[in-house]
Amino acid sequence: MKYKSLILIFFCLKSVFVYGQLGLDKLSNINDALQSKYGQQALDVFSKELEKSRKDYEDKAFNYAIIVSDNSALFENEQKIKKYSNVIFGGLTDQKSNPNTSAKASSKNSSGEIFFASHKYKWASDLFESAISDYETNGLTDESGYTLAISNLGLLYNTTGRFEKSLETTTKALELRRNKFGEKNAVYAASLNNMAVLLKDMGKYSEATDSIEKALQVNAETLGKQSLAYAIMLNNKAMLQYTLGQYQEAVKNLAPALDIAEKELGKGSFNLIRLKTNLAIIYKEMNKYTESEEILQKCIKTKEKKLGTSHPDYASLLTTLASLYIKMNKMGDVEALLTKASSIYKKELGEQHPSYATSLSYLGNFYRSQNSLSKAEELLRKAMEIRLVNLSENHPDYINSLEDMALLYWAQKNTRKSVDYFDLSIDKSLKFVKDFFPAMSENEKSKLWAKTRPKILKFYAFVNDQKTQDLITKMYNLQISTKGILLNSTTKVKNSILASKNEQLIKLYEKWLDQKEDLARLYTYSKAELREEKINLDSLEKETESTEKKLTASSSLFSKTNEEISNKEVAASLKANEAAVEIINFQKYNKFLTDTSVYAAIIIQNGAQPKYIEIKNGYELDKRYYNYYKNAITSKNPDKYAYTKFWGQIDSSLAGKTTIYASLDGIYNLINLNTLKLPNEKYLIDKYNIQYVLNTKFITVQKTVATKTNKTAVLLGNPDYGSRGTIAALPGTKIELDKTNAQLKTNGFKISTFVRGEANETNIKAVKNPYILHIATHGYFQNDAHTSSDEGLSFGVESQRAKENPLLRGGLLLANAEKALSNIDTLEIKSADNGIFTAFEAMNLSLDETEIVFLSACETGKGESKAGEGVYGLQRAIQVAGAESVIMSLWKV
């Protein structure tokens, strides 16, 4: 009978949660209402359980923020809410009678946590503020409950989108805990975690990453790596990585978090569902649609069963599933899912909550895709306004809203408004990139840029649709400001460090080079060998990446505004007989970006506006016509398509030009323009002097560079691969090097030559800035599809690592390579001089004063082509190493 009374009172209070938004001054009146309805006997039952429950509850002097699908929340499991719901009654029934002020303040804070976890933010806020006031008024600020109440209030402000107030409150809690407990305490780690979540929600990702890394380190040392707190922090780190486009890394961190959470909370836990939802979101971005949908469907069923269909967590799942269906182009259920989700958010969280804005944004984009443009405009505009008020004008979600409006007005054929919103969206996106690149490794930059670049590609598709002169000019200027952004930032940071004369910084740079050299050596170990030697390669990679981030953060590169170069400067640098051709590869847009390639060329000439050419049948260039070209070259057969398809339309706009500066993109990186055969049976090389540049803006720099006086050369080739005969000898390379040697001597060069056993990795790695570097040997590049997926080695490199990194799939074969290729298990092939010189290792060469590198070997120009960034292989590695120019082969020699 008593148990039944308990349940009745719990349900009674639950109805108050839903229907009554009472102020704190009315909370104590619940005591009278409960006594009147259920009698003193029921209250006595709660009183007996109260002290036991409260003591257990107060053993935890801290709480955690957890990053969930579309907002941050308090980490509370449903068992805790149910078990301690009587704390609310205790807090409400003894406010007047209990003389212990500390206990009263603690009760208010505990009650506030339950209201917070139940999404009753007004009540929670009032209770937290009242608890803080009690602690302060009565001189109890040394008690741990005081900092807990402040921390909880900061979490609440964050969850409700009041970021500035949250930052102020969370910072206060962090400082109080540091002073009280020190920096090696789990309580301090909890505040670091909460700060990381807040900074993430504010869009301050670099600071958030630093904070969560510190929290993880402290937590590992205090509570251990199998604690629930550690799992929460791993989840938060994973979602930070997800936000920055680091999906593989995010999955690696989320997997152990899920294992710990399931063990600690059980399979039916609401918070385990939250973590699983995060995994589904990451899978969605990785295009693992089946896995994502399966997780979401299971989570939805569990939520429906335990919470019903009116909880914000349920709305979050509906929104996530709808966004997945949009990406899968399964539109049948999208409208119903998003309409339901937005109504839940509106009722439970209010119309100013970021989660409500997210659901409106998805619903608006759905209506746009269905051509219901007036409905779409109303919702997308409202989402944008909510985000501007509650986030900031530079927050990624607000930037997404700007892009939403640009796409909407494009659909409405309102070009002027579309251009305005595209401009805002892209400008803010590039500012975002510029702000965060300095504290990132190249790998992190690559992931962030991959997530940012689709905004630019949509604009290119818009320009291709409109083709007005102003837009063509905008497109060209945007392309030259962003093309090769990753390579440029890496090279400039390196140059900035070497020119800094900062000994400490240069030592750190040298340490980083050593770390990369160690990694290159360890990549030659199979997974089994790494396990046997107890080598944690992931840990070493993280350590190397950490050093790289310190270097980029210390570089002054991004503290200065780089000089902007536009079409006017490029045109002014060209003579009357010259033209610059910028090839641009982007995707076709049909309400969403598709997988179909589009190619365009923008031609710059002195005294003329940029000229735009859409290359017809561009989507066929990637496969059909490239295959024709490649087969014709290798089989030495007549090529009847390549010139017409790849260059014919461009050629008609180059009348009177004899020198062409060509910046290539996409599949154009894998063809040699000089080999294209004209209708008159001559080749393009007979008609033009074609000079390749990474970016046509570099033309303005090239023409002002002083001639180098360094007259040194390094010649390396004809290696002794081994005695087994499994690698074909190349005696012709000795003749090549002898003739080159003779020519260079005639021109006054000082020459170092390495052949046979001396044509090894040790000697090539010792090269220091020769004017000319000439290498003649075997080269190779493996597509990832040809890389074995087992635990073995592929060209001397552990297969999975090679599959993940194209710089480990290409390189040169030098002296003693035979043993490494045969996978003979010796210390020799596990050294840094195993005869296989990968592109990953070539990045460490010292070539900053090198004018030209000749790679006289098979397929040295091949690699993984990345639109806007060139070819990831030896070509990129030599450029990163600093060489001015490089001559390579696209084919077998």
Side-chain angles (χ1 to χ4, degrees):
M1 187 66 184
K2 290 179 181 179
Y3 184 72
K4 186 174 182 181
S5 297
L6 282 170
I7 293 184
L8 286 170
I9 294 173
F10 177 76
F11 284 135
C12 173
L13 187 58
K14 184 175 180 181
S15 69
V16 176
F17 288 171
V18 176
Y19 299 111
Q21 290 293 319
L22 301 178
L24 184 63
D25 58 325
K26 297 181 181 179
L27 290 175
S28 59
N29 295 337
I30 295 178
N31 174 42
D32 300 330
L34 293 174
Q35 186 171 1
S36 172
K37 188 171 182 64
Y38 297 104
Q40 184 63 41
Q41 185 181 20
L43 293 180
D44 288 342
V45 174
F46 280 110
S47 296
K48 289 178 182 179
E49 296 294 323
L50 177 60
E51 289 306 318
K52 178 183 173 183
S53 298
R54 181 183 288 138
K55 184 181 184 303
D56 187 19
Y57 191 85
E58 290 173 356
D59 283 342
K60 287 269 177 111
F62 48 91
N63 249 318
Y64 297 90
I66 175 173
I67 299 174
V68 292
S69 59
D70 54 10
N71 68 301
S72 303
L74 188 69
F75 189 86
E76 290 281 3
N77 63 61
E78 69 283 3
Q79 293 88 352
K80 185 175 180 180
I81 293 173
K82 290 176 182 177
K83 182 176 180 181
Y84 300 117
S85 58
N86 54 359
V87 173
I88 294 175
F89 302 107
L92 301 178
T93 56
D94 66 359
Q95 292 302 307
K96 294 178 180 178
S97 60
N98 191 345
N100 187 334
T101 305
S102 175
K104 288 168 66 175
S106 180
S107 291
K108 288 179 182 178
N109 183 59
S110 300
S111 301
E113 288 186 351
I114 304 304
F115 282 113
F116 186 3
S118 303
H119 299 276
K120 306 306 162 190
Y121 301 127
K122 179 62 171 68
W123 282 20
S125 177
D126 289 344
L127 284 162
F128 291 149
E129 288 174 355
S130 182
I132 293 168
S133 177
D134 286 351
Y135 282 118
E136 292 175 344
T137 303
N138 294 280
L140 301 171
T141 55
D142 283 339
E143 294 196 9
S144 59
Y146 175 61
T147 57
L148 176 58
I150 294 173
S151 177
N152 284 340
L153 186 59
L155 291 175
L156 187 145
Y157 285 148
N158 185 14
T159 301
T160 53
R162 291 175 282 180
F163 295 136
E164 291 305 321
K165 288 180 74 69
S166 180
L167 183 60
E168 178 185 347
T169 311
T170 304
T171 300
K172 183 177 180 180
L174 183 67
E175 291 172 351
L176 286 169
R177 286 173 168 174
R178 180 194 287 120
N179 294 336
K180 181 177 176 63
F181 301 105
E183 295 189 1
K184 298 294 183 183
N185 189 285
V187 177
Y188 178 64
S191 270
L192 284 172
N193 170 79
N194 296 350
M195 180 62 80
V197 173
L198 170 61
L199 291 169
K200 178 263 179 189
D201 289 344
M202 294 178 73
K204 298 182 177 182
Y205 299 119
S206 298
E207 296 168 59
T209 300
D210 289 342
S211 191
I212 199 65
E213 289 289 3
K214 289 176 185 175
L216 280 163
Q217 182 179 350
V218 175
N219 200 292
E221 295 171 359
T222 53
L223 299 180
K225 292 186 177 182
Q226 292 303 310
S227 66
L228 191 56
Y230 195 77
I232 297 167
M233 293 176 186
L234 280 177
N235 167 80
N236 292 346
K237 181 179 179 180
M239 295 312 287
L240 263 168
Q241 292 169 322
Y242 156 77
T243 304
L244 295 170
Q246 300 164 23
Y247 305 129
Q248 292 284 2
E249 294 87 343
V251 170
K252 285 181 182 178
N253 281 306
L254 198 50
L258 283 164
D259 289 341
I260 297 167
E262 184 169 323
K263 180 181 176 182
E264 293 293 319
L265 301 176
K267 292 185 177 181
S269 162
F270 290 164
N271 278 306
L272 180 62
I273 291 173
R274 285 177 167 183
L275 301 192
K276 286 182 177 179
T277 304
N278 286 346
L279 182 61
I281 292 168
I282 298 168
Y283 279 160
K284 180 189 75 171
E285 295 305 319
M286 296 172 73
N287 298 329
K288 293 186 175 183
Y289 299 142
T290 302
E291 295 92 331
S292 181
E293 184 177 13
E294 183 180 348
I295 291 171
L296 291 172
Q297 293 286 14
K298 287 181 179 177
C299 290
I300 286 172
K301 287 180 182 178
T302 304
K303 285 282 185 179
E304 285 177 345
K305 184 178 179 181
K306 293 197 172 187
L307 282 182
T309 58
S310 60
H311 195 281
D313 281 2
Y314 181 70
S316 172
L317 284 166
L318 298 184
T319 303
T320 305
L321 183 62
S323 70
L324 172 65
Y325 286 158
I326 289 173
K327 194 166 185 185
M328 295 171 69
N329 200 27
K330 289 174 60 176
M331 299 298 188
D333 297 324
V334 169
E335 183 177 12
L337 289 168
L338 290 173
T339 301
K340 174 67 174 173
S342 61
S343 66
I344 295 170
Y345 283 137
K346 183 177 180 180
K347 181 178 179 181
E348 297 295 325
L349 302 181
E351 292 191 48
Q352 290 302 307
H353 198 278
S355 297
Y356 179 57
T358 298
S359 64
L360 294 182
S361 175
Y362 278 125
L363 188 55
N365 280 313
F366 166 76
Y367 285 136
R368 176 179 58 80
S369 73
Q370 303 302 301
N371 292 320
S372 298
L373 300 183
S374 58
K375 282 184 179 180
E377 182 172 7
E378 179 185 355
L379 295 172
L380 293 175
R381 183 170 295 282
K382 190 168 185 178
M384 180 178 68
E385 290 168 353
I386 294 169
R387 286 168 168 172
L388 180 59
V389 170
N390 293 283
L391 301 173
S392 76
E393 63 177 19
N394 294 314
H395 193 281
D397 287 350
Y398 178 67
I399 296 172
N400 288 339
S401 276
L402 293 174
E403 183 188 72
D404 290 343
M405 298 304 294
L407 298 174
L408 171 72
Y409 286 125
W410 179 9
Q412 291 181 342
K413 303 189 185 306
N414 189 333
T415 302
R416 184 184 62 80
K417 283 190 174 182
S418 185
V419 171
D420 289 344
Y421 279 106
F422 267 125
D423 283 348
L424 282 171
S425 171
I426 291 171
D427 286 349
K428 289 182 180 297
S429 295
L430 293 180
K431 181 183 183 304
F432 185 83
V433 167
K434 183 179 178 182
D435 287 346
F436 290 104
F437 262 28
M440 289 182 162
S441 67
E442 184 175 14
N443 179 50
E444 290 172 335
K445 290 173 188 173
S446 176
K447 303 293 174 57
L448 177 58
W449 185 240
K451 194 165 183 175
T452 304
R453 195 164 186 268
K455 295 183 186 301
I456 294 172
L457 299 181
K458 290 170 191 173
F459 175 69
Y460 288 172
F462 171 69
V463 176
N464 191 58
D465 182 55
Q466 304 293 314
K467 295 186 179 70
T468 65
Q469 188 59 59
D470 285 348
L471 287 175
I472 292 167
T473 302
K474 278 179 183 283
M475 181 178 183
Y476 175 76
N477 289 336
L478 180 58
Q479 175 72 355
I480 64 172
S481 72
T482 59
K483 186 174 185 181
I485 189 171
L486 299 174
L487 176 61
N488 295 339
S489 67
T490 300
T491 304
K492 288 177 181 176
V493 167
K494 172 186 172 183
N495 293 341
S496 173
I497 291 167
L498 294 177
S500 69
K501 297 183 180 179
N502 182 328
E503 290 185 14
Q504 188 175 357
L505 188 60
I506 292 172
K507 282 183 179 178
L508 187 64
Y509 177 71
E510 290 170 348
K511 174 187 174 183
W512 177 60
L513 294 181
D514 289 342
Q515 287 175 324
K516 290 206 296 178
E517 189 71 15
D518 284 342
L519 279 179
R521 177 178 59 83
L522 292 172
Y523 286 147
T524 67
Y525 285 59
S526 68
K527 288 182 179 179
E529 289 168 331
L530 289 170
R531 286 194 295 268
E532 185 178 338
E533 296 289 331
K534 297 181 180 178
I535 296 172
N536 188 332
L537 197 52
D538 288 338
S539 177
L540 292 172
E541 285 178 327
K542 288 176 184 176
E543 187 179 339
T544 304
E545 203 164 275
S546 175
T547 304
E548 184 182 354
K549 289 165 73 172
K550 289 177 185 175
L551 286 169
T552 56
S554 301
S555 168
S556 60
L557 172 65
F558 289 95
S559 63
K560 301 173 184 175
T561 303
N562 292 328
E563 182 182 356
E564 291 294 329
I565 295 175
S566 72
N567 61 295
K568 293 180 181 178
E569 285 78 24
V570 175
S573 69
L574 295 169
K575 297 177 182 177
N577 68 324
E578 296 177 334
V581 178
E582 189 73 55
I583 303 292
I584 305 176
N585 177 213
F586 52 99
Q587 278 75 55
K588 185 177 181 181
Y589 184 85
N590 182 16
K591 298 175 182 175
F592 302 97
L593 281 179
T594 68
D595 293 331
T596 303
S597 270
V598 179
Y599 284 91
I602 297 183
I603 300 174
I604 306 294
Q605 303 175 58
N606 197 321
Q609 294 275 18
K611 183 170 184 178
Y612 184 88
I613 298 171
E614 180 184 0
I615 299 171
K616 293 178 181 177
N617 300 318
Y619 60 92
E620 293 183 301
L621 297 183
D622 286 342
K623 296 191 188 255
R624 182 181 177 188
Y625 293 117
Y626 170 67
N627 286 332
Y628 280 139
Y629 167 78
K630 182 175 64 173
N631 293 335
I633 288 287
T634 53
S635 63
K636 299 181 182 179
N637 288 325
D639 184 348
K640 56 184 179 181
Y641 294 109
Y643 168 79
T644 302
K645 298 300 181 183
F646 286 100
W647 194 256
Q649 295 166 255
I650 299 170
D651 208 12
S652 61
S653 297
L654 297 174
K657 307 302 176 188
T658 56
T659 296
I660 307 298
Y661 296 95
S663 174
L664 307 182
D665 201 2
I667 200 65
Y668 278 80
N669 283 307
L670 298 181
I671 68 168
N672 184 338
L673 295 178
N674 288 310
T675 64
L676 302 184
K677 198 169 187 178
L678 301 167
N680 63 4
E681 297 299 308
K682 290 187 176 183
Y683 290 89
L684 213 56
I685 194 172
D686 298 317
K687 186 174 182 179
Y688 299 114
N689 169 23
I690 297 179
Q691 297 192 27
Y692 294 104
V693 290
L694 295 174
N695 185 322
T696 50
K697 76 176 180 182
F698 295 148
I699 298 169
T700 62
V701 179
Q702 273 188 317
K703 297 196 171 187
T704 61
V705 172
T707 304
K708 296 175 182 175
T709 57
N710 167 22
K711 298 198 78 174
T712 61
V714 172
L715 311 181
L716 185 148
N718 190 28
D720 180 1
Y721 301 115
S723 60
R724 296 162 62 90
T726 55
I727 302 176
L730 294 174
T733 59
K734 182 179 185 304
I735 299 170
E736 179 183 332
L737 293 184
D738 288 344
K739 289 186 176 181
T740 304
N741 193 330
Q743 286 185 323
L744 291 173
K745 277 186 178 177
T746 301
N747 285 278
F749 274 80
K750 182 180 178 180
I751 304 160
S752 300
T753 304
F754 301 99
V755 296
R756 304 303 293 159
E758 290 186 340
N760 57 38
E761 285 192 78
T762 297
N763 285 328
I764 197 172
K765 288 174 182 178
V767 164
K768 297 290 183 185
N769 298 309
Y771 186 85
I772 293 173
L773 173 62
H774 186 118
I775 303 173
T777 183
H778 284 294
Y780 70 94
F781 180 77
Q782 285 187 301
N783 293 319
D784 60 350
H786 298 146
T787 305
S788 61
S789 58
D790 57 22
E791 292 198 353
L793 302 177
S794 177
F795 273 84
V797 175
E798 192 273 310
S799 296
Q800 190 57 41
R801 301 284 173 178
K803 189 179 284 290
E804 293 170 358
N805 188 346
L807 295 175
L808 291 170
R809 298 203 301 270
L812 302 169
L813 302 186
L814 301 178
N816 300 314
E818 192 176 69
K819 289 181 180 178
L821 283 184
S822 302
N823 292 336
I824 299 173
D825 190 11
T826 66
L827 289 176
E828 199 174 328
I829 74 162
K830 300 290 186 256
S831 73
D833 188 2
N834 68 348
I836 298 180
F837 185 58
T838 65
F840 181 86
E841 293 171 286
M843 287 193 297
N844 279 5
L845 291 175
S846 297
L847 303 176
D848 298 291
E849 298 174 22
T850 298
E851 179 65 24
I852 191 163
V853 174
F854 293 89
L855 294 180
S856 178
C858 299
E859 301 182 334
T860 48
K862 292 184 73 174
E864 187 172 295
S865 181
K866 296 191 178 184
E869 279 298 317
V871 177
Y872 275 67
L874 275 170
Q875 181 180 139
R876 182 182 184 82
I878 297 299
Q879 291 163 349
V880 169
E884 187 73 23
S885 304
V886 57
I887 292 180
M888 339 181 76
S889 171
L890 290 169
W891 311 289
K892 292 186 183 298
V893 176

mmCIF file of all heavy atoms in Angstrom, residues 107 190 262 278 428 459 556 562 570 696 698 716 799 845 879:
data_model
loop_
_atom_site.group_PDB
_atom_site.id
_atom_site.type_symbol
_atom_site.label_atom_id
_atom_site.label_comp_id
_atom_site.label_asym_id
_atom_site.label_seq_id
_atom_site.Cartn_x
_atom_site.Cartn_y
_atom_site.Cartn_z
ATOM 1 N N SER A 107 19.795 20.165 -1.014
ATOM 2 C CA SER A 107 18.527 19.626 -1.504
ATOM 3 C C SER A 107 18.039 20.397 -2.721
ATOM 4 O O SER A 107 17.542 19.823 -3.696
ATOM 5 C CB SER A 107 17.464 19.685 -0.409
ATOM 6 O OG SER A 107 17.771 18.776 0.623
ATOM 7 N N ALA A 190 36.037 17.207 -14.341
ATOM 8 C CA ALA A 190 34.632 17.371 -14.733
ATOM 9 C C ALA A 190 34.387 18.771 -15.261
ATOM 10 O O ALA A 190 33.679 18.974 -16.258
ATOM 11 C CB ALA A 190 33.729 17.084 -13.540
ATOM 12 N N GLU A 262 27.885 0.741 -21.871
ATOM 13 C CA GLU A 262 27.004 -0.435 -21.835
ATOM 14 C C GLU A 262 27.282 -1.275 -20.595
ATOM 15 O O GLU A 262 26.358 -1.775 -19.946
ATOM 16 C CB GLU A 262 27.197 -1.272 -23.094
ATOM 17 C CG GLU A 262 26.246 -2.445 -23.182
ATOM 18 C CD GLU A 262 26.259 -3.114 -24.546
ATOM 19 O OE1 GLU A 262 26.391 -2.409 -25.559
ATOM 20 O OE2 GLU A 262 26.139 -4.356 -24.580
ATOM 21 N N ASN A 278 24.928 9.252 -31.491
ATOM 22 C CA ASN A 278 26.107 9.952 -31.999
ATOM 23 C C ASN A 278 26.851 9.107 -33.028
ATOM 24 O O ASN A 278 27.323 9.611 -34.050
ATOM 25 C CB ASN A 278 27.047 10.303 -30.839
ATOM 26 C CG ASN A 278 26.516 11.446 -29.995
ATOM 27 O OD1 ASN A 278 25.595 12.149 -30.391
ATOM 28 N ND2 ASN A 278 27.090 11.635 -28.825
ATOM 29 N N LYS A 428 32.401 33.803 -44.282
ATOM 30 C CA LYS A 428 32.462 33.352 -42.887
ATOM 31 C C LYS A 428 33.079 31.961 -42.782
ATOM 32 O O LYS A 428 33.791 31.657 -41.814
ATOM 33 C CB LYS A 428 31.060 33.385 -42.270
ATOM 34 C CG LYS A 428 30.531 34.798 -42.023
ATOM 35 C CD LYS A 428 29.169 34.797 -41.362
ATOM 36 C CE LYS A 428 28.679 36.219 -41.129
ATOM 37 N NZ LYS A 428 29.552 36.973 -40.193
ATOM 38 N N PHE A 459 28.580 26.908 -54.706
ATOM 39 C CA PHE A 459 28.665 28.222 -55.347
ATOM 40 C C PHE A 459 29.144 28.085 -56.786
ATOM 41 O O PHE A 459 28.636 28.749 -57.695
ATOM 42 C CB PHE A 459 29.599 29.134 -54.551
ATOM 43 C CG PHE A 459 29.825 30.463 -55.202
ATOM 44 C CD1 PHE A 459 28.799 31.391 -55.281
ATOM 45 C CD2 PHE A 459 31.065 30.786 -55.750
ATOM 46 C CE1 PHE A 459 29.000 32.630 -55.891
ATOM 47 C CE2 PHE A 459 31.273 32.010 -56.364
ATOM 48 C CZ PHE A 459 30.239 32.940 -56.429
ATOM 49 N N SER A 556 54.049 32.273 -37.045
ATOM 50 C CA SER A 556 53.407 33.594 -37.187
ATOM 51 C C SER A 556 52.634 33.711 -38.490
ATOM 52 O O SER A 556 52.092 34.757 -38.802
ATOM 53 C CB SER A 556 54.481 34.687 -37.147
ATOM 54 O OG SER A 556 55.407 34.501 -38.212
ATOM 55 N N ASN A 562 47.442 37.495 -45.360
ATOM 56 C CA ASN A 562 48.158 37.257 -46.604
ATOM 57 C C ASN A 562 47.646 38.202 -47.691
ATOM 58 O O ASN A 562 46.457 38.500 -47.755
ATOM 59 C CB ASN A 562 47.952 35.805 -47.052
ATOM 60 C CG ASN A 562 48.630 34.831 -46.120
ATOM 61 O OD1 ASN A 562 49.650 35.139 -45.547
ATOM 62 N ND2 ASN A 562 48.039 33.657 -45.965
ATOM 63 N N VAL A 570 46.759 38.927 -61.886
ATOM 64 C CA VAL A 570 47.186 37.843 -62.771
ATOM 65 C C VAL A 570 47.205 38.324 -64.219
ATOM 66 O O VAL A 570 48.178 38.115 -64.956
ATOM 67 C CB VAL A 570 46.269 36.610 -62.631
ATOM 68 C CG1 VAL A 570 46.653 35.533 -63.647
ATOM 69 C CG2 VAL A 570 46.338 36.046 -61.218
ATOM 70 N N THR A 696 47.172 29.536 -60.753
ATOM 71 C CA THR A 696 47.553 30.606 -61.680
ATOM 72 C C THR A 696 47.912 31.906 -60.966
ATOM 73 O O THR A 696 48.533 32.786 -61.566
ATOM 74 C CB THR A 696 46.446 30.866 -62.718
ATOM 75 O OG1 THR A 696 45.185 31.026 -62.050
ATOM 76 C CG2 THR A 696 46.344 29.731 -63.713
ATOM 77 N N PHE A 698 50.151 32.101 -58.854
ATOM 78 C CA PHE A 698 51.602 32.046 -58.661
ATOM 79 C C PHE A 698 52.366 32.635 -59.845
ATOM 80 O O PHE A 698 53.576 32.859 -59.760
ATOM 81 C CB PHE A 698 52.059 30.614 -58.409
ATOM 82 C CG PHE A 698 51.538 30.020 -57.128
ATOM 83 C CD1 PHE A 698 51.259 28.668 -57.018
ATOM 84 C CD2 PHE A 698 51.319 30.818 -56.017
ATOM 85 C CE1 PHE A 698 50.779 28.133 -55.836
ATOM 86 C CE2 PHE A 698 50.842 30.299 -54.827
ATOM 87 C CZ PHE A 698 50.571 28.947 -54.738
ATOM 88 N N LEU A 716 71.322 10.421 -58.299
ATOM 89 C CA LEU A 716 71.196 9.136 -57.599
ATOM 90 C C LEU A 716 70.442 8.165 -58.500
ATOM 91 O O LEU A 716 69.367 8.506 -59.016
ATOM 92 C CB LEU A 716 70.471 9.343 -56.272
ATOM 93 C CG LEU A 716 70.334 8.141 -55.342
ATOM 94 C CD1 LEU A 716 70.342 8.616 -53.870
ATOM 95 C CD2 LEU A 716 69.041 7.372 -55.592
ATOM 96 N N SER A 799 49.658 -2.845 -44.362
ATOM 97 C CA SER A 799 48.627 -2.676 -45.385
ATOM 98 C C SER A 799 47.545 -1.661 -45.031
ATOM 99 O O SER A 799 47.162 -0.823 -45.838
ATOM 100 C CB SER A 799 47.967 -4.029 -45.687
ATOM 101 O OG SER A 799 48.904 -4.904 -46.247
ATOM 102 N N LEU A 845 62.416 15.733 -46.910
ATOM 103 C CA LEU A 845 63.638 16.159 -47.592
ATOM 104 C C LEU A 845 63.848 17.661 -47.440
ATOM 105 O O LEU A 845 62.889 18.431 -47.311
ATOM 106 C CB LEU A 845 63.561 15.804 -49.077
ATOM 107 C CG LEU A 845 63.617 14.312 -49.434
ATOM 108 C CD1 LEU A 845 63.407 14.118 -50.925
ATOM 109 C CD2 LEU A 845 64.938 13.687 -48.999
ATOM 110 N N GLN A 879 56.791 18.759 -53.405
ATOM 111 C CA GLN A 879 56.366 20.155 -53.259
ATOM 112 C C GLN A 879 56.404 20.584 -51.792
ATOM 113 O O GLN A 879 56.857 21.685 -51.472
ATOM 114 C CB GLN A 879 54.959 20.332 -53.836
ATOM 115 C CG GLN A 879 54.921 20.202 -55.347
ATOM 116 C CD GLN A 879 53.517 19.964 -55.879
ATOM 117 O OE1 GLN A 879 52.595 19.690 -55.111
ATOM 118 N NE2 GLN A 879 53.351 20.068 -57.180
#
